[in-house]
Amino acid sequence: ISYIRWVLDTVPYAFQKGHSLSEITAEFVEEISSEAGIESSAWTDGVRFYHELRNTDTERVVFRGLSVWQTGG
């Protein structure tokens, strides 16, 4: 659940207010301890957001995801 929360936190609130989440995919690349630092990033092409979580201790990607949104909140 934490991974999904981190992913959704990268989507701007103003965008979420005008859109509904219609699809989410998750790729768990590597397990991470609860003590590790996490850096989340996202980029978009309109209604699709591509997400990545990185372990700041190792600089390795631990998660990749895609969220797809529809207009109308």
Side-chain angles (χ1 to χ4, degrees):
I1 292 179
S2 292
Y3 285 96
I4 302 304
R5 187 175 315 120
W6 285 325
V7 161
L8 295 178
D9 284 348
T10 64
V11 178
Y13 180 70
F15 182 87
Q16 290 185 36
K17 281 179 45 177
H19 296 78
S20 298
L21 181 64
S22 64
E23 181 182 333
I24 192 164
T25 58
E27 177 189 357
F28 299 95
V29 178
E30 186 175 298
E31 192 170 339
I32 189 168
S33 73
S34 59
E35 294 85 29
I38 290 290
E39 177 182 79
S40 59
S41 61
W43 55 98
T44 184
D45 65 2
V47 295
R48 291 184 299 223
F49 280 79
Y50 302 88
H51 308 274
E52 195 171 84
L53 299 177
R54 188 174 295 274
N55 179 332
T56 57
D57 299 331
T58 64
E59 294 299 317
R60 293 170 57 108
V61 173
V62 297
F63 175 89
R64 289 185 189 95
L66 170 70
S67 61
V68 181
W69 300 77
Q70 294 178 344
T71 304

